[in-house]
Coordinates of all heavy atoms in Angstrom, one line a residue:
M1 N -1.2 -3.2 25.8 CA -0.7 -1.9 25.3 C 0.1 -2.1 24.0 O 0.8 -3.0 23.9 CB 0.1 -1.3 26.4 CG 0.6 0.1 26.2 SD -0.7 1.3 25.9 CE -0.8 2.1 27.5
Y2 N 0.0 -1.1 23.1 CA 0.7 -1.2 21.9 C 1.6 0.0 21.7 O 1.4 1.1 22.2 CB -0.3 -1.1 20.7 CG -1.2 -2.4 20.6 CD1 -2.4 -2.4 21.1 CD2 -0.7 -3.4 19.9 CE1 -3.2 -3.5 21.0 CE2 -1.5 -4.6 19.7 CZ -2.8 -4.6 20.3 OH -3.5 -5.7 20.2
E3 N 2.6 -0.2 20.9 CA 3.5 0.9 20.4 C 3.2 1.1 19.0 O 2.8 0.1 18.3 CB 5.0 0.7 20.7 CG 5.6 -0.5 20.1 CD 7.0 -0.7 20.4 OE1 7.7 0.3 20.4 OE2 7.4 -1.9 20.5
H4 N 3.3 2.3 18.5 CA 3.0 2.6 17.1 C 4.2 3.2 16.4 O 5.1 3.8 17.0 CB 1.8 3.6 17.0 CG 0.5 3.0 17.4 ND1 0.2 2.9 18.7 CD2 -0.5 2.4 16.7 CE1 -1.0 2.3 18.8 NE2 -1.4 2.0 17.6
K5 N 4.3 2.9 15.1 CA 5.4 3.5 14.3 C 4.7 4.1 13.0 O 3.8 3.6 12.4 CB 6.3 2.3 13.8 CG 7.5 2.8 13.2 CD 8.4 1.6 12.9 CE 9.8 1.8 13.1 NZ 10.7 0.7 12.9
F6 N 5.2 5.3 12.6 CA 4.7 6.0 11.5 C 5.8 6.2 10.5 O 6.8 6.8 10.9 CB 4.2 7.4 11.9 CG 3.1 7.3 12.9 CD1 3.4 7.2 14.3 CD2 1.8 7.2 12.6 CE1 2.4 7.1 15.2 CE2 0.7 7.1 13.6 CZ 1.1 7.1 14.9
I7 N 5.7 5.7 9.3 CA 6.7 5.8 8.3 C 6.2 6.6 7.1 O 5.2 6.3 6.5 CB 7.1 4.4 7.8 CG1 7.6 3.5 8.9 CG2 8.2 4.5 6.7 CD1 7.7 2.1 8.6
K8 N 6.9 7.8 6.9 CA 6.5 8.6 5.8 C 7.1 8.2 4.5 O 8.3 7.9 4.5 CB 6.9 10.1 6.1 CG 6.5 11.1 5.1 CD 7.0 12.5 5.5 CE 6.6 13.5 4.4 NZ 7.1 14.8 4.8
V9 N 6.2 8.0 3.5 CA 6.7 7.7 2.1 C 6.3 8.8 1.2 O 5.1 9.1 1.0 CB 6.0 6.4 1.6 CG1 6.5 6.0 0.2 CG2 6.4 5.2 2.6
D10 N 7.3 9.5 0.6 CA 7.0 10.6 -0.3 C 6.6 10.1 -1.7 O 7.0 9.0 -2.1 CB 8.3 11.4 -0.5 CG 8.7 12.3 0.8 OD1 7.7 12.8 1.3 OD2 9.9 12.3 1.1
L11 N 5.8 10.9 -2.3 CA 5.3 10.6 -3.7 C 6.0 11.5 -4.6 O 6.3 12.6 -4.4 CB 3.8 10.8 -3.8 CG 2.9 10.0 -2.8 CD1 1.5 10.5 -2.9 CD2 3.0 8.5 -3.0
S12 N 6.3 10.9 -5.8 CA 6.9 11.8 -6.9 C 5.9 12.9 -7.3 O 4.7 12.7 -7.2 CB 7.3 10.9 -8.1 OG 6.1 10.4 -8.7
S13 N 6.5 14.0 -7.6 CA 5.6 15.2 -7.8 C 4.8 15.1 -9.1 O 3.7 15.7 -9.2 CB 6.4 16.4 -7.8 OG 7.5 16.4 -8.7
F14 N 5.2 14.4 -10.1 CA 4.4 14.4 -11.4 C 3.6 13.1 -11.5 O 2.4 13.2 -11.8 CB 5.4 14.4 -12.5 CG 6.2 15.7 -12.6 CD1 7.5 15.8 -12.3 CD2 5.5 16.9 -12.9 CE1 8.2 17.0 -12.2 CE2 6.1 18.1 -12.9 CZ 7.5 18.2 -12.6
K15 N 4.1 11.9 -11.1 CA 3.3 10.7 -11.4 C 2.5 10.3 -10.1 O 1.6 9.5 -10.2 CB 4.2 9.6 -11.7 CG 4.9 9.7 -13.0 CD 5.8 8.5 -13.3 CE 6.6 8.7 -14.6 NZ 7.4 7.6 -14.9
L16 N 2.7 10.9 -9.0 CA 2.1 10.6 -7.7 C 2.3 9.2 -7.4 O 1.4 8.5 -6.8 CB 0.7 11.0 -7.7 CG 0.4 12.5 -7.9 CD1 -1.1 12.8 -7.9 CD2 1.0 13.3 -6.8
E17 N 3.5 8.6 -7.7 CA 3.8 7.2 -7.3 C 4.8 7.3 -6.1 O 5.6 8.2 -6.0 CB 4.5 6.5 -8.5 CG 3.5 6.3 -9.7 CD 4.2 5.7 -10.9 OE1 5.5 5.5 -10.8 OE2 3.5 5.4 -11.8
P18 N 4.7 6.3 -5.3 CA 5.7 6.2 -4.1 C 7.1 6.2 -4.6 O 7.4 5.5 -5.6 CB 5.4 5.0 -3.4 CG 4.0 4.5 -3.9 CD 3.9 5.1 -5.3
K19 N 8.0 6.9 -3.9 CA 9.4 6.9 -4.2 C 10.1 5.7 -3.7 O 11.2 5.4 -4.1 CB 10.1 8.2 -3.6 CG 9.7 9.5 -4.4 CD 10.4 10.7 -3.8 CE 10.0 11.9 -4.6 NZ 10.7 13.1 -4.1
E20 N 9.4 5.0 -2.7 CA 10.0 3.8 -2.2 C 9.0 2.7 -2.3 O 7.8 2.9 -2.5 CB 10.2 4.0 -0.6 CG 11.2 5.0 -0.3 CD 11.3 5.2 1.2 OE1 11.8 4.3 1.9 OE2 10.9 6.2 1.7
D21 N 9.4 1.4 -2.3 CA 8.5 0.3 -2.4 C 7.9 0.0 -1.1 O 8.4 -0.5 -0.2 CB 9.3 -1.0 -2.9 CG 8.4 -2.2 -3.1 OD1 7.2 -2.1 -2.9 OD2 9.0 -3.3 -3.4
Y22 N 6.6 0.5 -0.9 CA 5.9 0.4 0.3 C 5.6 -1.1 0.7 O 5.5 -1.4 1.8 CB 4.7 1.3 0.4 CG 3.6 0.9 -0.6 CD1 2.5 0.1 -0.3 CD2 3.6 1.5 -1.9 CE1 1.5 -0.2 -1.2 CE2 2.6 1.2 -2.8 CZ 1.6 0.3 -2.5 OH 0.6 0.0 -3.4
H23 N 5.5 -1.9 -0.3 CA 5.3 -3.4 0.0 C 6.4 -3.9 0.7 O 6.3 -4.6 1.7 CB 5.0 -4.2 -1.3 CG 3.8 -3.8 -2.0 ND1 3.8 -3.5 -3.4 CD2 2.5 -3.7 -1.7 CE1 2.6 -3.3 -3.8 NE2 1.8 -3.4 -2.7
A24 N 7.6 -3.6 0.3 CA 8.9 -4.0 0.9 C 9.0 -3.5 2.4 O 9.4 -4.2 3.3 CB 10.1 -3.7 0.1
I25 N 8.6 -2.2 2.6 CA 8.6 -1.6 3.8 C 7.7 -2.4 4.8 O 8.1 -2.7 6.0 CB 8.2 -0.2 3.8 CG1 9.2 0.7 3.0 CG2 8.0 0.4 5.2 CD1 8.8 2.1 2.7
I26 N 6.5 -2.7 4.4 CA 5.6 -3.4 5.3 C 6.1 -4.8 5.5 O 6.1 -5.3 6.7 CB 4.2 -3.4 4.6 CG1 3.6 -2.0 4.5 CG2 3.3 -4.4 5.3 CD1 2.4 -1.9 3.7
H27 N 6.6 -5.6 4.5 CA 7.1 -6.9 4.7 C 8.3 -6.9 5.7 O 8.3 -7.8 6.5 CB 7.5 -7.6 3.4 CG 6.3 -7.9 2.5 ND1 5.3 -8.8 2.9 CD2 6.0 -7.5 1.3 CE1 4.4 -8.9 2.0 NE2 4.8 -8.1 1.0
E28 N 9.2 -6.0 5.6 CA 10.4 -6.0 6.5 C 9.9 -5.7 7.9 O 10.4 -6.3 8.8 CB 11.3 -4.9 6.0 CG 12.1 -5.2 4.8 CD 12.9 -6.5 5.0 OE1 13.6 -6.7 6.1 OE2 12.9 -7.4 4.1
H29 N 9.0 -4.8 8.1 CA 8.5 -4.5 9.5 C 7.7 -5.7 10.1 O 7.7 -5.9 11.3 CB 7.7 -3.2 9.5 CG 8.6 -2.0 9.5 ND1 9.2 -1.5 8.3 CD2 9.1 -1.2 10.5 CE1 9.9 -0.5 8.6 NE2 9.9 -0.3 9.9
E30 N 7.0 -6.4 9.2 CA 6.2 -7.6 9.7 C 7.2 -8.6 10.3 O 6.8 -9.3 11.3 CB 5.4 -8.2 8.6 CG 4.1 -7.4 8.3 CD 3.3 -8.1 7.1 OE1 3.9 -8.8 6.3 OE2 2.2 -7.8 7.0
K31 N 8.3 -8.8 9.7 CA 9.4 -9.7 10.3 C 9.8 -9.3 11.6 O 10.3 -10.2 12.4 CB 10.6 -9.7 9.3 CG 10.3 -10.3 8.0 CD 11.5 -10.2 7.1 CE 11.2 -10.7 5.7 NZ 12.4 -10.5 4.8
E32 N 9.7 -8.0 12.0 CA 10.0 -7.5 13.3 C 8.8 -7.4 14.3 O 8.9 -6.9 15.3 CB 10.7 -6.1 13.2 CG 11.9 -6.1 12.3 CD 12.4 -4.7 12.1 OE1 11.9 -3.7 12.6 OE2 13.3 -4.6 11.2
G33 N 7.7 -8.0 13.9 CA 6.5 -8.1 14.7 C 5.5 -6.9 14.6 O 4.6 -6.8 15.3
W34 N 5.8 -6.1 13.6 CA 4.8 -4.9 13.4 C 3.7 -5.4 12.5 O 3.8 -6.2 11.7 CB 5.6 -3.8 12.7 CG 6.6 -3.1 13.5 CD1 8.0 -3.4 13.5 CD2 6.4 -2.1 14.5 NE1 8.6 -2.6 14.4 CE2 7.7 -1.8 15.0 CE3 5.3 -1.5 15.0 CZ2 7.8 -0.9 16.0 CZ3 5.5 -0.6 16.0 CH2 6.7 -0.2 16.5
E35 N 2.5 -4.8 12.8 CA 1.3 -5.1 12.0 C 0.8 -3.9 11.4 O 0.8 -2.8 12.0 CB 0.3 -5.7 13.1 CG -1.1 -5.9 12.4 CD -2.1 -6.4 13.4 OE1 -1.8 -6.7 14.6 OE2 -3.3 -6.4 13.1
L36 N 0.4 -3.9 10.1 CA -0.1 -2.8 9.4 C -1.5 -2.5 10.0 O -2.4 -3.3 10.1 CB -0.3 -3.1 7.9 CG -0.9 -2.0 7.1 CD1 -0.1 -0.8 7.0 CD2 -1.2 -2.6 5.7
V37 N -1.6 -1.1 10.3 CA -2.9 -0.6 10.8 C -3.6 0.1 9.6 O -4.8 -0.1 9.4 CB -2.7 0.3 12.0 CG1 -4.0 1.0 12.4 CG2 -2.1 -0.4 13.2
Q38 N -2.9 1.0 9.0 CA -3.5 1.8 8.0 C -2.4 2.5 7.1 O -1.3 2.7 7.6 CB -4.3 2.9 8.6 CG -5.1 3.9 7.7 CD -6.0 4.8 8.4 OE1 -6.1 4.7 9.6 NE2 -6.5 5.7 7.7
I39 N -2.7 2.8 5.9 CA -1.9 3.7 5.0 C -2.8 5.0 4.9 O -3.9 4.9 4.4 CB -1.6 3.1 3.7 CG1 -0.8 1.9 3.9 CG2 -0.9 4.1 2.8 CD1 -0.4 1.1 2.6
F40 N -2.2 6.1 5.4 CA -2.9 7.3 5.5 C -2.3 8.3 4.5 O -1.1 8.5 4.4 CB -2.8 7.9 6.9 CG -3.4 9.3 7.1 CD1 -4.8 9.5 7.0 CD2 -2.6 10.4 7.3 CE1 -5.3 10.8 7.2 CE2 -3.1 11.6 7.4 CZ -4.5 11.8 7.3
A41 N -3.1 8.9 3.6 CA -2.7 9.9 2.6 C -3.4 11.2 2.8 O -4.6 11.3 2.3 CB -2.9 9.3 1.2
P42 N -2.8 12.1 3.5 CA -3.5 13.4 3.7 C -3.5 14.3 2.4 O -2.6 14.2 1.6 CB -2.7 14.1 4.7 CG -1.3 13.5 4.5 CD -1.5 12.1 4.1
G43 N -4.6 15.0 2.1 CA -4.7 15.8 1.0 C -4.0 17.1 1.2 O -4.6 18.0 1.9
T44 N -2.8 17.2 0.8 CA -2.0 18.4 1.2 C -1.5 19.2 0.0 O -1.0 20.3 0.1 CB -0.8 18.1 2.0 OG1 0.0 17.1 1.3 CG2 -1.2 17.5 3.3
K45 N -1.7 18.7 -1.2 CA -1.3 19.5 -2.4 C -2.5 20.1 -3.1 O -3.6 19.9 -2.7 CB -0.4 18.6 -3.4 CG 0.9 18.2 -2.9 CD 1.6 17.3 -3.9 CE 1.9 17.9 -5.2 NZ 2.7 17.1 -6.1
G46 N -2.2 20.7 -4.2 CA -3.4 21.3 -5.0 C -4.4 20.2 -5.4 O -4.0 19.0 -5.6
Y47 N -5.6 20.6 -5.5 CA -6.7 19.7 -5.8 C -6.9 18.6 -4.9 O -7.5 17.5 -5.2 CB -6.6 19.2 -7.3 CG -6.4 20.3 -8.3 CD1 -5.2 20.5 -8.9 CD2 -7.5 21.1 -8.6 CE1 -5.0 21.6 -9.8 CE2 -7.3 22.2 -9.5 CZ -6.1 22.4 -10.0 OH -5.9 23.4 -11.0
G48 N -6.4 18.7 -3.7 CA -6.6 17.6 -2.7 C -5.7 16.4 -2.8 O -6.0 15.4 -2.1
T49 N -4.7 16.4 -3.7 CA -3.9 15.2 -3.8 C -2.7 15.3 -2.7 O -2.4 16.3 -2.3 CB -3.2 15.2 -5.2 OG1 -2.5 16.3 -5.4 CG2 -4.3 15.0 -6.3
A50 N -2.4 14.1 -2.4 CA -1.3 14.0 -1.3 C 0.1 14.1 -1.9 O 0.3 13.7 -3.0 CB -1.4 12.6 -0.6
S51 N 1.0 14.6 -1.2 CA 2.4 14.6 -1.5 C 3.2 13.6 -0.9 O 4.4 13.3 -1.2 CB 3.1 16.0 -1.2 OG 3.0 16.2 0.2
F52 N 2.6 12.8 0.1 CA 3.2 11.7 0.8 C 2.1 10.9 1.4 O 0.9 11.3 1.4 CB 4.1 12.2 1.9 CG 3.5 12.9 3.0 CD1 3.1 12.2 4.2 CD2 3.2 14.3 3.0 CE1 2.5 12.8 5.2 CE2 2.6 14.8 4.1 CZ 2.2 14.1 5.2
F53 N 2.4 9.7 1.9 CA 1.5 9.0 2.7 C 2.3 8.4 3.9 O 3.5 8.3 3.9 CB 0.7 7.9 2.0 CG 1.4 6.8 1.3 CD1 1.9 5.7 2.0 CD2 1.7 6.9 -0.1 CE1 2.6 4.7 1.3 CE2 2.4 5.9 -0.7 CZ 2.8 4.8 0.0
E54 N 1.6 8.0 4.9 CA 2.2 7.4 6.1 C 1.7 6.0 6.2 O 0.5 5.7 6.1 CB 1.9 8.2 7.3 CG 2.7 9.4 7.5 CD 2.5 10.1 8.9 OE1 1.4 10.0 9.4 OE2 3.5 10.7 9.3
I55 N 2.6 5.1 6.5 CA 2.3 3.8 6.9 C 2.2 3.7 8.4 O 3.2 4.1 9.1 CB 3.4 2.8 6.3 CG1 3.5 2.9 4.8 CG2 3.1 1.4 6.8 CD1 4.6 2.1 4.3
I56 N 1.1 3.3 8.9 CA 0.9 3.2 10.4 C 0.9 1.8 10.8 O 0.2 0.9 10.3 CB -0.4 3.9 10.8 CG1 -0.5 5.4 10.3 CG2 -0.6 3.8 12.3 CD1 -1.8 6.0 10.4
L57 N 1.9 1.5 11.7 CA 2.1 0.1 12.2 C 1.9 0.0 13.7 O 2.1 1.0 14.4 CB 3.5 -0.4 11.8 CG 3.9 -0.3 10.3 CD1 5.4 -0.3 10.2 CD2 3.3 -1.4 9.5
K58 N 1.6 -1.2 14.2 CA 1.6 -1.3 15.7 C 2.1 -2.7 16.0 O 2.2 -3.6 15.2 CB 0.1 -1.2 16.2 CG -0.8 -2.4 15.8 CD -2.1 -2.2 16.5 CE -3.0 -3.4 16.2 NZ -4.3 -3.3 16.8
R59 N 2.6 -2.8 17.3 CA 2.9 -4.1 17.8 C 2.8 -4.0 19.3 O 2.8 -2.9 19.9 CB 4.3 -4.5 17.5 CG 5.4 -3.7 18.1 CD 6.8 -4.3 17.7 NE 7.9 -3.5 18.1 CZ 9.1 -3.6 17.8 NH1 9.5 -4.6 16.9 NH2 10.0 -2.8 18.2
K60 N 2.6 -5.1 20.0 CA 2.4 -5.2 21.4 C 3.7 -4.8 22.1 O 4.8 -5.2 21.7 CB 1.9 -6.5 21.9 CG 0.5 -6.8 21.5 CD 0.0 -8.0 22.4 CE -1.5 -8.1 22.0 NZ -2.3 -8.5 23.1
K61 N 3.6 -4.0 23.1 CA 4.7 -3.7 24.0 C 5.1 -4.9 24.8 O 4.3 -5.6 25.3 CB 4.4 -2.5 24.9 CG 4.5 -1.2 24.2 CD 4.4 0.0 25.2 CE 4.6 1.3 24.6 NZ 4.6 2.4 25.6
D62 N 6.4 -5.0 25.0 CA 6.9 -6.1 26.0 C 6.7 -5.8 27.4 O 6.7 -4.7 27.8 CB 8.3 -6.4 25.7 CG 8.6 -6.9 24.2 OD1 7.6 -7.6 23.8 OD2 9.6 -6.8 23.7

């Protein structure tokens, strides 16, 4: 059985770049036993561009 964690990372409105360093977020969570499953970017703004993305992580439950 796994537990999952979802981390929302907002994108800047003009450059569509992450406001946080997502590499650092993933590396920090890996140290705690989390494994990257997917980075999901829903098309929620005009022209189908995303305003945020979610980092989806999992780890085995104890």
Side-chain angles (χ1 to χ4, degrees):
M1 185 60 99
Y2 291 95
E3 62 180 319
H4 291 82
K5 188 176 217 179
F6 301 87
I7 302 169
K8 182 178 177 181
V9 178
D10 289 317
L11 301 174
S12 65
S13 55
F14 295 107
K15 295 181 182 180
L16 297 178
E17 293 177 355
K19 291 183 177 180
E20 299 176 68
D21 182 1
Y22 63 94
H23 293 129
I25 293 170
I26 293 167
H27 289 299
E28 286 301 313
H29 282 81
E30 284 178 338
K31 292 176 186 175
E32 299 172 7
W34 293 97
E35 178 183 347
L36 176 66
V37 174
Q38 181 177 353
I39 297 178
F40 174 69
T44 56
K45 285 179 65 175
Y47 306 107
T49 60
S51 60
F52 69 93
F53 61 81
E54 282 190 328
I55 299 171
I56 304 170
L57 305 161
K58 73 175 183 179
R59 70 177 172 189
K60 287 199 177 214
K61 282 189 173 183
D62 293 332

